């Protein structure tokens, strides 16, 4: 077990166990990519590792090289599937309280399909 603090009842763990539904766009041995249920852009895909990591720091410390490369494969595949390479997109991973992370399983938000404006609110 890599992380005793991981909450196995979080919604993404349920999606991974097929106990909850998701609109899956892409998956391979290491990652699952699915639409965010409360999309804030025409393209709003969540990219998650299949193994249990609670956040980006946990992943950075404990994931294998294959798992890390697979996340970038996910970015590349989503960019290709939605043809975001010309107009661009935004990639975000919220981490912890200050980052506003709500679901305690590492995820990357890939947003695109319209001009997203500057990061400042
Ligand atoms: P964060 O605030 O970075 O933890 O983002 C969690 C994201 O998960 C939010 O954008 C939610 O809309 C999304 N979300 C929560 N439940 C589901 C679900 N069942 N299927 C897809 N996305 C979800």
């Amino acid at each position: 077990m890599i992380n005793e603090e991981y909450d196995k009842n979080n919604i993404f763990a349920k999606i991974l166990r097929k106990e909850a539904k998701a609109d899956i766009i892409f998956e391979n041995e290491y990652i699952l990519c699915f639409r965010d249920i409360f999309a804030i852009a025409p393209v709003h895909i969540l990219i998650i590792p299949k193994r249990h990591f609670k956040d980006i720091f946990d992943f950075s410390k404990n994931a294998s090289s294959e798992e890390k490369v697979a996340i970038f494969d996910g970015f590349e595949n989503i960019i290709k599937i939605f043809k975001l390479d010309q107009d661009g997109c935004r990639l975000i991973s919220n981490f912890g309280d200050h980052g506003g992370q709500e679901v305690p399983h590492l995820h990357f938000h890939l947003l695109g399909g319209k001009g997203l404006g500057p990061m400042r609110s």
Side-chain angles (χ1 to χ4, degrees):
M1 176 137 184
I2 44 175
N3 185 351
E4 289 176 14
E5 294 174 46
Y6 180 87
D7 170 16
K8 288 186 174 167
N9 288 318
N10 78 74
I11 185 63
F12 295 170
K14 290 179 181 173
I15 288 172
L16 285 164
R17 291 195 299 269
K18 313 285 186 209
E19 293 169 12
K21 287 190 178 169
D23 185 357
I24 295 171
I25 302 298
F26 174 81
E27 79 176 293
N28 66 23
E29 182 183 352
Y30 299 108
I31 60 164
L32 187 68
C33 308
F34 53 96
R35 285 186 196 274
D36 193 296
I37 202 165
F38 298 117
I40 59 167
V43 178
H44 186 167
I45 308 300
L46 299 171
I47 297 158
I48 71 171
K50 287 191 170 175
R51 224 154 53 97
H52 292 171
F53 298 98
K54 62 186 173 124
D55 54 44
I56 187 72
F57 191 45
D58 183 17
F59 187 75
S60 179
K61 285 186 297 181
N62 296 309
S64 67
S65 301
E66 289 83 359
E67 287 169 317
K68 290 175 178 171
V69 168
I71 293 290
F72 280 86
D73 288 343
F75 302 154
E76 189 181 329
N77 274 287
I78 298 303
I79 287 168
K80 280 183 187 158
I81 289 166
F82 291 99
K83 301 182 174 28
L84 303 174
D85 50 323
Q86 291 297 314
D87 292 330
C89 58
R90 177 172 291 159
L91 185 63
I92 296 171
S93 185
N94 297 319
F95 167 26
D97 287 344
H98 283 194
Q101 182 178 0
E102 292 179 302
V103 178
H105 181 113
L106 171 64
H107 51 282
F108 296 87
H109 299 254
L110 200 151
L111 302 160
K114 70 171 187 180
L116 297 164
M119 277 291 289
R120 62 185 177 274
S121 55

